[in-house]
Amino acid sequence: MNIPKTNLPRVVIIGGGFGGISLARKLLKKQVQTVLIDKHNYHTFQPLLYQVSTSGLEPDSIAYPLRKIIRTSNRGYFRMAEVSNIDSGRQIIQSNIGELHYDYLIIATGSKTNFFGNDSIEKNGMWMKSVPHALNIRSLILENLEQAVITEDPVERKALLNFVLAGAGPTGVELSGAIAELRNHVVPKDYPDLDASEMEIHLIEGMDRVLPPMSEKSSEKAANFLKELGVQLHLNTQVESYDGREVLTNTSTKFDTYTFIWSAGVTGAPVKGLKAEALIEKANRYVVNKYSQINGYNNIFAIGDIAVMESDEFPKGHPMVAQPAIQQGKHLAKNISHLLNNEELEPFKYFDKGTMATVGRNRAVVELGKFKFGGFFAWFVWMFIHLWFLIGFRNRLVTFFNWVYNYVNFDKAARLIIRPFKENQKQSKSDRAL
Amino acid sequence: MNIPKTNLPRVVIIGGGFGGISLARKLLKKQVQTVLIDKHNYHTFQPLLYQVSTSGLEPDSIAYPLRKIIRTSNRGYFRMAEVSNIDSGRQIIQSNIGELHYDYLIIATGSKTNFFGNDSIEKNGMWMKSVPHALNIRSLILENLEQAVITEDPVERKALLNFVLAGAGPTGVELSGAIAELRNHVVPKDYPDLDASEMEIHLIEGMDRVLPPMSEKSSEKAANFLKELGVQLHLNTQVESYDGREVLTNTSTKFDTYTFIWSAGVTGAPVKGLKAEALIEKANRYVVNKYSQINGYNNIFAIGDIAVMESDEFPKGHPMVAQPAIQQGKHLAKNISHLLNNEELEPFKYFDKGTMATVGRNRAVVELGKFKFGGFFAWFVWMFIHLWFLIGFRNRLVTFFNWVYNYVNFDKAARLIIRPFKENQKQSKSDRAL
């Protein structure tokens, strides 16, 4: 990988998500050589991906060049690569651009979509874990609308105008809300020769409420917001298959659609090579102690979605969202310092900053400790916090500008089919891995 | 195409470039049914494409949804389609989404890259006529930099860091200037482990000066600006072939490079079906009279790059740039009114608003009639005029914001490899047609 050998210990971080960059930013200030590896050359602010999918934002608003983080120290290195294997005996990682020796290794590879072995969904459905995925969904939505306009067959048109999402976690809720806003505000203006009421948005959830990690009160509020926007909820319903046209469920409910988006589960994205005891096979996540050390290793750590740190409060590990990753990253930087100075390690303590989800303009639910609220003020808090956590002053400003513009004008300005998805579906399959 | 038949005469416009949209905007106010057809769902502001290629702007700054133009009148229709043939006998156009009858037909399909039959360049080179092309160039530049960092073979690294462009018209000059600025300002900061001086930008031109359509004085100024930025000029040199690695020319000069961008010629992009006498075969452009009527037809017109309107001042037709297209579009709207009212047609008169090109920050050349100037003030005029002609208030504001940010910070914020070009070169071939 062409990285110079120095006297400093080398810390290698695999993954430039929330965990990886919060760790890297701290390590860059310390007397270690920091190497950050990611398959993309940018950090993705995943909580706002759904706005890229629905033409509200362009990628540069939510993606941040990783080199811009690394360049703040001359002890930092970035490499765009996919790590294929860890050889813990030789302390080496192997990748598509060669090998690299590490003194400390941090796995921060996050999670990927979980299809629970359902091939029909993986083959025919869409999902949203990266910018290319989000752009594919954007293209597909807009291509469907263009095709619906010229289709005289009512059954065909209905299938083009049905948008079906599975999984009512934050992603499913936010995405279906944003598609509903497209229908309510943009479609009637842009497609006057289309009957916008023919466009239906269906959100399917296996449990009995939306946003299962939140309180029942918030779930109820969010469900009401979705109904106000015209999203049709199907609770206690599980998707069984999707053949590219028909969504079958475990109830009598079925859907005829060209657009099926799967947001009903994630699983860890581990790297090959570690001992069996390191991994919880079912979850594809590493077992770590309260210092983030992977079970069976002293100098290999895992943080964020990929790590299961068991505690009394979280017997199955922390929720797979941004905050635990950010906090574990910052905390691990401290512990690596301690290791280098032969000091005692400090156990990680999670500070729950709360959870939130937005459903559309003026509508969100927020839970901050005891405070649970919904509606306009919650939406305002949601926006403020997301702007605050976006990486880089420029991205905050561009996002803020786009939000103000879209809000005032009831518009989504980036409704551009740059790379058609449908016609090039075979080509775009390669994107799916990104 | 599912467009309702009304009592109004139907005017069909093929192409949503500068000519097509300036005509459509005027026609939408008149008592005709206006149908605009384009293969993209957006208008591309081509003069700023090079900034998308070089990470300065995102697509939404320079692309504008065509439906947003069309929706201003309920007599307007947009269809995303590729027109394959014109049947002038039946007054019908044929496309991938079906047929459509027209009363008046306007061909505004613009131009495409001219390889002059050189297959090696078409197969292995890059070019820039659309947003997907520009994004491919952006990815390729950034991928080359990433690869150069890890390459220990000096010959291979040099080939990754050599950027070779052919054709010193505005596109070649502006693009090579912008790549030089990436090297001068971004690469040293982002790639501290790369020797930026190894990165060379070569601009090849067959004639004896850059910007041949401008005055010799402006050419000289632009050439000096390019040299100041570190672009190496090779005048009186013609490219003979490019095999994906080596650029051969008609002189002893040759280049070892992974990036060869062809901007040395355009040719018309006509539609099949009209009589032979309608087309100038060599140029692939339609012969039109001073009312924009295509030779041999009364109700079929051509405007912009695709039209050759001979005049004393312009014996080979107007220059293939935005202004003639815009002015012909506006003018033709008037003449279609005249036709409908059985009034006499007015001949087109071109008002030359001048020409200009920018070479980099603070550097541009401008010719407005007798006034020819270069440098900071010219650059300011260039920016102002480009903002002015951008479509839509939002696009102007986003572009302005990005320019201010990039200027103040010596930065190009959108350096994101969203769709890698190299690895997926085969897949991306389909983009090339877009």
Side-chain angles (χ1 to χ4, degrees), chain A residues 186-212:
Chain A
V186 177
V187 172
K189 281 186 277 182
D190 260 17
Y191 299 85
D193 41 350
L194 206 63
D195 180 359
S197 70
E198 276 197 78
M199 182 169 163
E200 289 178 10
I201 298 114
H202 297 274
L203 180 59
I204 305 171
E205 167 60 45
M207 298 183 70
D208 60 354
R209 58 192 181 99
V210 304
L211 299 174

PDB file of all heavy atoms in Angstrom, chain A residues 186-212:
ATOM      1  N   VAL A 186     -44.853  17.794  -5.794  1.00  0.00           N
ATOM      2  CA  VAL A 186     -44.123  17.934  -7.060  1.00  0.00           C
ATOM      3  C   VAL A 186     -44.885  17.318  -8.228  1.00  0.00           C
ATOM      4  O   VAL A 186     -45.011  17.928  -9.289  1.00  0.00           O
ATOM      5  CB  VAL A 186     -42.704  17.330  -6.942  1.00  0.00           C
ATOM      6  CG1 VAL A 186     -41.973  17.397  -8.277  1.00  0.00           C
ATOM      7  CG2 VAL A 186     -41.902  18.076  -5.872  1.00  0.00           C
ATOM      8  N   VAL A 187     -45.406  16.101  -8.026  1.00  0.00           N
ATOM      9  CA  VAL A 187     -46.047  15.395  -9.142  1.00  0.00           C
ATOM     10  C   VAL A 187     -47.225  16.179  -9.747  1.00  0.00           C
ATOM     11  O   VAL A 187     -47.320  16.294 -10.973  1.00  0.00           O
ATOM     12  CB  VAL A 187     -46.467  13.961  -8.715  1.00  0.00           C
ATOM     13  CG1 VAL A 187     -47.312  13.280  -9.787  1.00  0.00           C
ATOM     14  CG2 VAL A 187     -45.228  13.124  -8.415  1.00  0.00           C
ATOM     15  N   PRO A 188     -48.121  16.759  -8.933  1.00  0.00           N
ATOM     16  CA  PRO A 188     -49.245  17.466  -9.548  1.00  0.00           C
ATOM     17  C   PRO A 188     -48.796  18.638 -10.434  1.00  0.00           C
ATOM     18  O   PRO A 188     -49.431  18.940 -11.428  1.00  0.00           O
ATOM     19  CB  PRO A 188     -50.039  17.989  -8.338  1.00  0.00           C
ATOM     20  CG  PRO A 188     -49.615  17.132  -7.191  1.00  0.00           C
ATOM     21  CD  PRO A 188     -48.201  16.754  -7.463  1.00  0.00           C
ATOM     22  N   LYS A 189     -47.687  19.284 -10.060  1.00  0.00           N
ATOM     23  CA  LYS A 189     -47.191  20.397 -10.863  1.00  0.00           C
ATOM     24  C   LYS A 189     -46.413  19.915 -12.077  1.00  0.00           C
ATOM     25  O   LYS A 189     -46.584  20.406 -13.188  1.00  0.00           O
ATOM     26  CB  LYS A 189     -46.290  21.308 -10.013  1.00  0.00           C
ATOM     27  CG  LYS A 189     -47.072  22.255  -9.105  1.00  0.00           C
ATOM     28  CD  LYS A 189     -46.159  23.232  -8.382  1.00  0.00           C
ATOM     29  CE  LYS A 189     -45.568  22.596  -7.140  1.00  0.00           C
ATOM     30  NZ  LYS A 189     -44.700  23.520  -6.370  1.00  0.00           N
ATOM     31  N   ASP A 190     -45.540  18.925 -11.861  1.00  0.00           N
ATOM     32  CA  ASP A 190     -44.659  18.468 -12.935  1.00  0.00           C
ATOM     33  C   ASP A 190     -45.379  17.565 -13.934  1.00  0.00           C
ATOM     34  O   ASP A 190     -44.997  17.502 -15.104  1.00  0.00           O
ATOM     35  CB  ASP A 190     -43.476  17.688 -12.349  1.00  0.00           C
ATOM     36  CG  ASP A 190     -42.221  18.531 -12.251  1.00  0.00           C
ATOM     37  OD1 ASP A 190     -42.359  19.774 -12.332  1.00  0.00           O
ATOM     38  OD2 ASP A 190     -41.123  17.967 -12.091  1.00  0.00           O
ATOM     39  N   TYR A 191     -46.354  16.823 -13.467  1.00  0.00           N
ATOM     40  CA  TYR A 191     -47.039  15.849 -14.330  1.00  0.00           C
ATOM     41  C   TYR A 191     -48.529  16.143 -14.351  1.00  0.00           C
ATOM     42  O   TYR A 191     -49.333  15.353 -13.842  1.00  0.00           O
ATOM     43  CB  TYR A 191     -46.791  14.423 -13.829  1.00  0.00           C
ATOM     44  CG  TYR A 191     -45.343  14.016 -13.817  1.00  0.00           C
ATOM     45  CD1 TYR A 191     -44.519  14.329 -12.746  1.00  0.00           C
ATOM     46  CD2 TYR A 191     -44.788  13.339 -14.905  1.00  0.00           C
ATOM     47  CE1 TYR A 191     -43.182  13.977 -12.739  1.00  0.00           C
ATOM     48  CE2 TYR A 191     -43.449  12.978 -14.905  1.00  0.00           C
ATOM     49  CZ  TYR A 191     -42.651  13.303 -13.816  1.00  0.00           C
ATOM     50  OH  TYR A 191     -41.326  12.940 -13.827  1.00  0.00           O
ATOM     51  N   PRO A 192     -48.920  17.278 -14.951  1.00  0.00           N
ATOM     52  CA  PRO A 192     -50.343  17.619 -14.942  1.00  0.00           C
ATOM     53  C   PRO A 192     -51.182  16.582 -15.693  1.00  0.00           C
ATOM     54  O   PRO A 192     -52.374  16.445 -15.418  1.00  0.00           O
ATOM     55  CB  PRO A 192     -50.374  18.981 -15.654  1.00  0.00           C
ATOM     56  CG  PRO A 192     -49.094  19.071 -16.412  1.00  0.00           C
ATOM     57  CD  PRO A 192     -48.103  18.260 -15.668  1.00  0.00           C
ATOM     58  N   ASP A 193     -50.549  15.826 -16.607  1.00  0.00           N
ATOM     59  CA  ASP A 193     -51.291  14.822 -17.357  1.00  0.00           C
ATOM     60  C   ASP A 193     -51.281  13.462 -16.657  1.00  0.00           C
ATOM     61  O   ASP A 193     -51.544  12.425 -17.260  1.00  0.00           O
ATOM     62  CB  ASP A 193     -50.802  14.705 -18.812  1.00  0.00           C
ATOM     63  CG  ASP A 193     -49.300  14.778 -18.942  1.00  0.00           C
ATOM     64  OD1 ASP A 193     -48.630  15.113 -17.945  1.00  0.00           O
ATOM     65  OD2 ASP A 193     -48.792  14.506 -20.033  1.00  0.00           O
ATOM     66  N   LEU A 194     -50.989  13.473 -15.359  1.00  0.00           N
ATOM     67  CA  LEU A 194     -51.005  12.243 -14.569  1.00  0.00           C
ATOM     68  C   LEU A 194     -51.941  12.499 -13.392  1.00  0.00           C
ATOM     69  O   LEU A 194     -51.967  13.589 -12.838  1.00  0.00           O
ATOM     70  CB  LEU A 194     -49.582  11.998 -14.053  1.00  0.00           C
ATOM     71  CG  LEU A 194     -49.120  10.586 -13.733  1.00  0.00           C
ATOM     72  CD1 LEU A 194     -49.118   9.726 -14.980  1.00  0.00           C
ATOM     73  CD2 LEU A 194     -47.705  10.636 -13.167  1.00  0.00           C
ATOM     74  N   ASP A 195     -52.694  11.496 -13.001  1.00  0.00           N
ATOM     75  CA  ASP A 195     -53.563  11.653 -11.848  1.00  0.00           C
ATOM     76  C   ASP A 195     -52.767  11.259 -10.595  1.00  0.00           C
ATOM     77  O   ASP A 195     -52.559  10.082 -10.321  1.00  0.00           O
ATOM     78  CB  ASP A 195     -54.788  10.739 -12.008  1.00  0.00           C
ATOM     79  CG  ASP A 195     -55.746  10.863 -10.833  1.00  0.00           C
ATOM     80  OD1 ASP A 195     -55.439  11.631  -9.899  1.00  0.00           O
ATOM     81  OD2 ASP A 195     -56.792  10.192 -10.867  1.00  0.00           O
ATOM     82  N   ALA A 196     -52.312  12.280  -9.855  1.00  0.00           N
ATOM     83  CA  ALA A 196     -51.411  12.015  -8.725  1.00  0.00           C
ATOM     84  C   ALA A 196     -52.042  11.079  -7.705  1.00  0.00           C
ATOM     85  O   ALA A 196     -51.336  10.366  -6.985  1.00  0.00           O
ATOM     86  CB  ALA A 196     -50.991  13.327  -8.059  1.00  0.00           C
ATOM     87  N   SER A 197     -53.390  11.057  -7.640  1.00  0.00           N
ATOM     88  CA  SER A 197     -54.019  10.190  -6.643  1.00  0.00           C
ATOM     89  C   SER A 197     -53.852   8.717  -7.009  1.00  0.00           C
ATOM     90  O   SER A 197     -54.055   7.834  -6.179  1.00  0.00           O
ATOM     91  CB  SER A 197     -55.505  10.530  -6.531  1.00  0.00           C
ATOM     92  OG  SER A 197     -56.187  10.119  -7.689  1.00  0.00           O
ATOM     93  N   GLU A 198     -53.471   8.438  -8.250  1.00  0.00           N
ATOM     94  CA  GLU A 198     -53.196   7.046  -8.624  1.00  0.00           C
ATOM     95  C   GLU A 198     -51.890   6.550  -8.017  1.00  0.00           C
ATOM     96  O   GLU A 198     -51.617   5.358  -7.989  1.00  0.00           O
ATOM     97  CB  GLU A 198     -53.114   6.915 -10.152  1.00  0.00           C
ATOM     98  CG  GLU A 198     -54.450   6.751 -10.839  1.00  0.00           C
ATOM     99  CD  GLU A 198     -54.265   6.227 -12.255  1.00  0.00           C
ATOM    100  OE1 GLU A 198     -54.024   5.022 -12.424  1.00  0.00           O
ATOM    101  OE2 GLU A 198     -54.343   7.049 -13.203  1.00  0.00           O
ATOM    102  N   MET A 199     -51.055   7.492  -7.603  1.00  0.00           N
ATOM    103  CA  MET A 199     -49.756   7.138  -7.032  1.00  0.00           C
ATOM    104  C   MET A 199     -49.950   6.761  -5.565  1.00  0.00           C
ATOM    105  O   MET A 199     -50.399   7.571  -4.770  1.00  0.00           O
ATOM    106  CB  MET A 199     -48.806   8.335  -7.168  1.00  0.00           C
ATOM    107  CG  MET A 199     -47.402   8.103  -6.654  1.00  0.00           C
ATOM    108  SD  MET A 199     -46.279   9.471  -7.160  1.00  0.00           S
ATOM    109  CE  MET A 199     -44.918   9.199  -6.014  1.00  0.00           C
ATOM    110  N   GLU A 200     -49.630   5.507  -5.239  1.00  0.00           N
ATOM    111  CA  GLU A 200     -49.823   5.034  -3.865  1.00  0.00           C
ATOM    112  C   GLU A 200     -48.491   4.665  -3.229  1.00  0.00           C
ATOM    113  O   GLU A 200     -47.615   4.106  -3.886  1.00  0.00           O
ATOM    114  CB  GLU A 200     -50.746   3.808  -3.854  1.00  0.00           C
ATOM    115  CG  GLU A 200     -52.188   4.157  -4.166  1.00  0.00           C
ATOM    116  CD  GLU A 200     -53.080   2.919  -4.192  1.00  0.00           C
ATOM    117  OE1 GLU A 200     -52.621   1.830  -3.777  1.00  0.00           O
ATOM    118  OE2 GLU A 200     -54.233   3.039  -4.634  1.00  0.00           O
ATOM    119  N   ILE A 201     -48.376   4.984  -1.949  1.00  0.00           N
ATOM    120  CA  ILE A 201     -47.171   4.616  -1.204  1.00  0.00           C
ATOM    121  C   ILE A 201     -47.588   3.689  -0.068  1.00  0.00           C
ATOM    122  O   ILE A 201     -48.400   4.054   0.780  1.00  0.00           O
ATOM    123  CB  ILE A 201     -46.439   5.855  -0.660  1.00  0.00           C
ATOM    124  CG1 ILE A 201     -45.987   6.734  -1.832  1.00  0.00           C
ATOM    125  CG2 ILE A 201     -45.226   5.469   0.171  1.00  0.00           C
ATOM    126  CD1 ILE A 201     -46.666   8.063  -1.882  1.00  0.00           C
ATOM    127  N   HIS A 202     -47.038   2.467  -0.104  1.00  0.00           N
ATOM    128  CA  HIS A 202     -47.375   1.454   0.898  1.00  0.00           C
ATOM    129  C   HIS A 202     -46.155   1.139   1.742  1.00  0.00           C
ATOM    130  O   HIS A 202     -45.088   0.856   1.205  1.00  0.00           O
ATOM    131  CB  HIS A 202     -47.844   0.167   0.202  1.00  0.00           C
ATOM    132  CG  HIS A 202     -49.091   0.353  -0.602  1.00  0.00           C
ATOM    133  ND1 HIS A 202     -50.345   0.255  -0.060  1.00  0.00           N
ATOM    134  CD2 HIS A 202     -49.272   0.651  -1.914  1.00  0.00           C
ATOM    135  CE1 HIS A 202     -51.255   0.468  -1.003  1.00  0.00           C
ATOM    136  NE2 HIS A 202     -50.633   0.712  -2.131  1.00  0.00           N
ATOM    137  N   LEU A 203     -46.339   1.187   3.058  1.00  0.00           N
ATOM    138  CA  LEU A 203     -45.253   0.844   3.967  1.00  0.00           C
ATOM    139  C   LEU A 203     -45.654  -0.392   4.778  1.00  0.00           C
ATOM    140  O   LEU A 203     -46.656  -0.382   5.497  1.00  0.00           O
ATOM    141  CB  LEU A 203     -44.952   2.031   4.895  1.00  0.00           C
ATOM    142  CG  LEU A 203     -43.835   1.853   5.923  1.00  0.00           C
ATOM    143  CD1 LEU A 203     -42.505   1.522   5.253  1.00  0.00           C
ATOM    144  CD2 LEU A 203     -43.691   3.121   6.773  1.00  0.00           C
ATOM    145  N   ILE A 204     -44.870  -1.452   4.613  1.00  0.00           N
ATOM    146  CA  ILE A 204     -45.172  -2.735   5.250  1.00  0.00           C
ATOM    147  C   ILE A 204     -44.258  -2.945   6.463  1.00  0.00           C
ATOM    148  O   ILE A 204     -43.052  -2.717   6.372  1.00  0.00           O
ATOM    149  CB  ILE A 204     -44.935  -3.892   4.241  1.00  0.00           C
ATOM    150  CG1 ILE A 204     -45.749  -3.650   2.966  1.00  0.00           C
ATOM    151  CG2 ILE A 204     -45.275  -5.238   4.871  1.00  0.00           C
ATOM    152  CD1 ILE A 204     -45.405  -4.608   1.840  1.00  0.00           C
ATOM    153  N   GLU A 205     -44.838  -3.371   7.563  1.00  0.00           N
ATOM    154  CA  GLU A 205     -44.024  -3.613   8.780  1.00  0.00           C
ATOM    155  C   GLU A 205     -44.487  -4.909   9.452  1.00  0.00           C
ATOM    156  O   GLU A 205     -45.689  -5.127   9.627  1.00  0.00           O
ATOM    157  CB  GLU A 205     -44.169  -2.418   9.724  1.00  0.00           C
ATOM    158  CG  GLU A 205     -43.660  -2.604  11.136  1.00  0.00           C
ATOM    159  CD  GLU A 205     -42.163  -2.941  11.230  1.00  0.00           C
ATOM    160  OE1 GLU A 205     -41.366  -2.297  10.531  1.00  0.00           O
ATOM    161  OE2 GLU A 205     -41.807  -3.868  11.987  1.00  0.00           O
ATOM    162  N   GLY A 206     -43.508  -5.734   9.810  1.00  0.00           N
ATOM    163  CA  GLY A 206     -43.833  -7.019  10.430  1.00  0.00           C
ATOM    164  C   GLY A 206     -44.382  -6.887  11.843  1.00  0.00           C
ATOM    165  O   GLY A 206     -45.194  -7.702  12.282  1.00  0.00           O
ATOM    166  N   MET A 207     -43.942  -5.826  12.565  1.00  0.00           N
ATOM    167  CA  MET A 207     -44.412  -5.651  13.929  1.00  0.00           C
ATOM    168  C   MET A 207     -45.730  -4.859  13.928  1.00  0.00           C
ATOM    169  O   MET A 207     -46.249  -4.501  12.873  1.00  0.00           O
ATOM    170  CB  MET A 207     -43.339  -4.960  14.768  1.00  0.00           C
ATOM    171  CG  MET A 207     -42.063  -5.820  14.841  1.00  0.00           C
ATOM    172  SD  MET A 207     -40.791  -5.107  15.883  1.00  0.00           S
ATOM    173  CE  MET A 207     -41.546  -5.333  17.500  1.00  0.00           C
ATOM    174  N   ASP A 208     -46.213  -4.587  15.139  1.00  0.00           N
ATOM    175  CA  ASP A 208     -47.536  -3.974  15.214  1.00  0.00           C
ATOM    176  C   ASP A 208     -47.499  -2.443  15.257  1.00  0.00           C
ATOM    177  O   ASP A 208     -48.514  -1.791  15.484  1.00  0.00           O
ATOM    178  CB  ASP A 208     -48.296  -4.506  16.440  1.00  0.00           C
ATOM    179  CG  ASP A 208     -47.559  -4.205  17.724  1.00  0.00           C
ATOM    180  OD1 ASP A 208     -46.417  -3.688  17.641  1.00  0.00           O
ATOM    181  OD2 ASP A 208     -48.110  -4.494  18.799  1.00  0.00           O
ATOM    182  N   ARG A 209     -46.277  -1.851  15.052  1.00  0.00           N
ATOM    183  CA  ARG A 209     -46.199  -0.396  15.029  1.00  0.00           C
ATOM    184  C   ARG A 209     -44.977   0.063  14.248  1.00  0.00           C
ATOM    185  O   ARG A 209     -44.034  -0.717  14.033  1.00  0.00           O
ATOM    186  CB  ARG A 209     -46.153   0.170  16.443  1.00  0.00           C
ATOM    187  CG  ARG A 209     -44.987  -0.335  17.288  1.00  0.00           C
ATOM    188  CD  ARG A 209     -45.213   0.046  18.747  1.00  0.00           C
ATOM    189  NE  ARG A 209     -44.134  -0.369  19.607  1.00  0.00           N
ATOM    190  CZ  ARG A 209     -43.149   0.434  20.027  1.00  0.00           C
ATOM    191  NH1 ARG A 209     -43.099   1.689  19.621  1.00  0.00           N
ATOM    192  NH2 ARG A 209     -42.209  -0.012  20.833  1.00  0.00           N
ATOM    193  N   VAL A 210     -44.996   1.325  13.825  1.00  0.00           N
ATOM    194  CA  VAL A 210     -43.838   1.871  13.108  1.00  0.00           C
ATOM    195  C   VAL A 210     -42.792   2.304  14.128  1.00  0.00           C
ATOM    196  O   VAL A 210     -43.092   2.445  15.315  1.00  0.00           O
ATOM    197  CB  VAL A 210     -44.230   3.069  12.207  1.00  0.00           C
ATOM    198  CG1 VAL A 210     -45.324   2.667  11.224  1.00  0.00           C
ATOM    199  CG2 VAL A 210     -44.667   4.270  13.023  1.00  0.00           C
ATOM    200  N   LEU A 211     -41.569   2.526  13.675  1.00  0.00           N
ATOM    201  CA  LEU A 211     -40.450   2.935  14.541  1.00  0.00           C
ATOM    202  C   LEU A 211     -40.384   2.121  15.841  1.00  0.00           C
ATOM    203  O   LEU A 211     -40.410   2.673  16.945  1.00  0.00           O
ATOM    204  CB  LEU A 211     -40.559   4.427  14.872  1.00  0.00           C
ATOM    205  CG  LEU A 211     -40.519   5.395  13.679  1.00  0.00           C
ATOM    206  CD1 LEU A 211     -40.777   6.822  14.140  1.00  0.00           C
ATOM    207  CD2 LEU A 211     -39.199   5.305  12.934  1.00  0.00           C
ATOM    208  N   PRO A 212     -40.268   0.783  15.711  1.00  0.00           N
ATOM    209  CA  PRO A 212     -40.275  -0.067  16.900  1.00  0.00           C
ATOM    210  C   PRO A 212     -39.271   0.326  17.986  1.00  0.00           C
ATOM    211  O   PRO A 212     -39.568   0.115  19.165  1.00  0.00           O
ATOM    212  CB  PRO A 212     -39.963  -1.468  16.342  1.00  0.00           C
ATOM    213  CG  PRO A 212     -40.297  -1.407  14.902  1.00  0.00           C
ATOM    214  CD  PRO A 212     -40.116   0.006  14.471  1.00  0.00           C
TER     215      PRO A 212
END
